[in-house]
């Protein structure tokens, strides 16, 4: 029998992630990391882990707003970096997004525009990383990766991704262990694709419930077992399992001949 709930995050887990980041940088021969700091919990957690693991001078944060970015995020990200003694800059990507939209000559949906913005952000991060002889630190968590809730070659592109094995609810626990500000921990997760957009509204389920379903899938439980334990409808459980399978293409490198999914 496996536990019915996800294991809780401990200080040992935090230390393992710090060690992972430190060893990666040592083996890479690079001088540190560049991270896109958005104002959300995931980027704040990986930034704090990197600062603890490498030292503040080896962590450079870039806030990359677009037209839909909340106005308060710049102040919030700047305050975090000032508190932690990290390098910080703000680069407005909206002109680049507008240029791509004009070039494409099409009526793009908010999601399409958001994907363009995510790829523009990663272009900036890799440019800075190259100039500074650093690597790009990813901010996605396991819940997002399994659900495909990220932009391929956008926020999904990075050199190391410390939270890849940690569900969103565990990230919140880790944030408390690291002493992150309460307003960042309690903030509704959002990709910022449009005003008022939230992850949970778009997926139609809270992360608390989603992570229990994903945990059940990971433990190889049946759909009825997961539904009975979590209270999530059987139809929703089946839909989540289907989506996890459908999103494999976003989690793997380009498929080579003889290695079809």
């Amino acid at each position: 029998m496996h536990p019915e709930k996800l294991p809780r995050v401990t200080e040992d887990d935090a230390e393992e992630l710090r060690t992972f980041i430190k060893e990666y940088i040592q083996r890479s021969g690079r001088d540190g990391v560049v991270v896109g700091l958005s104002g959300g919990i995931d980027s704040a957690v990986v930034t704090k882990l990197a600062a603890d693991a490498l030292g503040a001078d080896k962590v450079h944060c870039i806030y990359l707003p677009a037209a839909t970015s909340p106005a308060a995020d710049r102040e919030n990200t700047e305050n975090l970096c000032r508190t932690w003694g990290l390098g910080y800059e703000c680069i407005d990507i909206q002109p680049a997004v507008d240029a791509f939209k004009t070039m494409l000559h099409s009526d793009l949906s908010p999601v399409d525009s958001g994907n363009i913005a995510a790829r523009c952000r990663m272009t900036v991060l890799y440019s800075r990383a190259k100039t500074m002889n650093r690597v790009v630190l990813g901010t996605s968590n396991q819940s997002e990766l399994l659900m495909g809730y990220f932009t391929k070659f956008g926020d999904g592109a990075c050199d190391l991704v410390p939270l890849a094995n940690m569900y969103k609810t565990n990230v919140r626990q880790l944030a408390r262990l690291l002493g992150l500000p309460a307003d960042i921990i309690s903030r509704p997760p959002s990709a910022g694709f449009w005003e008022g957009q939230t992850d949970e509204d778009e997926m139609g389920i809270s992360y608390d419930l989603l992570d229990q379903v994903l945990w059940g899938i990971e433990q190889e439980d049946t759909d009825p077992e997961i539904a009975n334990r979590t209270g999530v409808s059987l139809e929703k459980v089946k839909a989540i399992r289907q989506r996890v399978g459908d999103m494999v293409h976003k989690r793997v490198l380009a498929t080579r001949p003889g290695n079809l999914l």
Side-chain angles (χ1 to χ4, degrees), residues 6 176 184:
L6 281 69
R176 296 186 185 97
I184 290 180

Side-chain angles (χ1 to χ4, degrees), residues 1-27:
M1 292 292 290
H2 61 79
E4 291 193 356
K5 294 185 178 180
L6 281 69
R8 292 193 63 83
V9 172
T10 67
E11 175 56 36
D12 288 342
D13 297 316
E15 187 58 29
E16 285 182 10
L17 293 178
R18 295 186 193 103
T19 300
F20 164 71
I21 294 170
K22 186 174 182 178
E23 290 183 349
Y24 184 98
I25 297 304
Q26 289 174 340
R27 293 177 184 178

Side-chain angles (χ1 to χ4, degrees), residues 26-88:
Q26 289 174 340
R27 293 177 184 178
S28 72
R30 300 301 177 92
D31 296 331
V33 299
V34 171
V35 58
L37 191 59
S38 67
I41 187 171
D42 299 302
S43 65
V45 165
V46 297
T47 297
K48 185 63 166 66
L49 287 169
D52 291 345
L54 305 174
D57 61 317
K58 296 186 181 299
V59 180
H60 185 71
C61 298
I62 310 179
Y63 174 56
L64 297 153
T68 56
S69 301
D73 281 356
R74 176 168 185 173
E75 181 179 358
N76 292 339
T77 55
E78 194 169 0
N79 286 340
L80 270 185
C81 289
R82 186 182 301 112
T83 299
W84 295 337
L86 310 177
Y88 177 85

Side-chain angles (χ1 to χ4, degrees), residues 12 21 25 65 80 96 128 132 137 177 212 231:
D12 288 342
I21 294 170
I25 297 304
L80 270 185
R128 279 292 189 269
M132 301 176 74
L137 186 63
L177 278 176
Q212 291 298 327

Side-chain angles (χ1 to χ4, degrees), residues 50-223:
D52 291 345
L54 305 174
D57 61 317
K58 296 186 181 299
V59 180
H60 185 71
C61 298
I62 310 179
Y63 174 56
L64 297 153
T68 56
S69 301
D73 281 356
R74 176 168 185 173
E75 181 179 358
N76 292 339
T77 55
E78 194 169 0
N79 286 340
L80 270 185
C81 289
R82 186 182 301 112
T83 299
W84 295 337
L86 310 177
Y88 177 85
E89 62 181 313
C90 174
I91 299 177
D92 182 4
I93 63 165
Q94 193 59 44
V97 174
D98 291 339
F100 270 107
K101 291 169 73 172
T102 299
M103 179 181 66
L104 290 170
H105 299 294
S106 60
D107 185 17
L108 300 176
S109 70
V111 172
D112 292 331
S113 296
N115 286 333
I116 290 173
R119 290 171 182 137
C120 287
R121 290 186 176 103
M122 197 52 64
T123 298
V124 174
L125 293 175
Y126 269 98
S127 178
R128 279 292 189 269
K130 177 65 167 60
T131 301
M132 301 176 74
N133 192 39
R134 300 189 178 197
V135 297
V136 175
L137 186 63
T139 64
S140 295
N141 60 62
Q142 186 172 9
S143 305
E144 294 168 339
L145 293 173
L146 287 174
M147 293 294 284
Y149 199 76
F150 60 93
T151 298
K152 197 170 185 177
F153 306 120
D155 52 320
C158 58
D159 296 306
L160 68 163
V161 55
L163 303 181
N165 298 326
M166 188 167 289
Y167 291 106
K168 186 75 170 190
T169 48
N170 291 141
V171 175
R172 293 192 189 115
Q173 296 166 15
L174 180 56
R176 296 186 185 97
L177 278 176
L178 297 175
L180 264 62
D183 59 332
I184 290 180
I185 298 173
S186 62
R187 176 181 176 177
S190 172
F193 280 3
W194 58 85
E195 186 176 353
Q197 182 260 344
T198 70
D199 298 2
E200 293 176 326
D201 285 346
E202 195 171 355
M203 290 189 292
I205 189 171
S206 70
Y207 273 114
D208 288 339
L209 287 175
L210 172 63
D211 288 352
Q212 291 298 327
V213 173
L214 294 174
W215 170 249
I217 293 173
E218 181 182 346
Q219 299 303 308
E220 301 183 350
D221 289 345
T222 66
D223 291 346

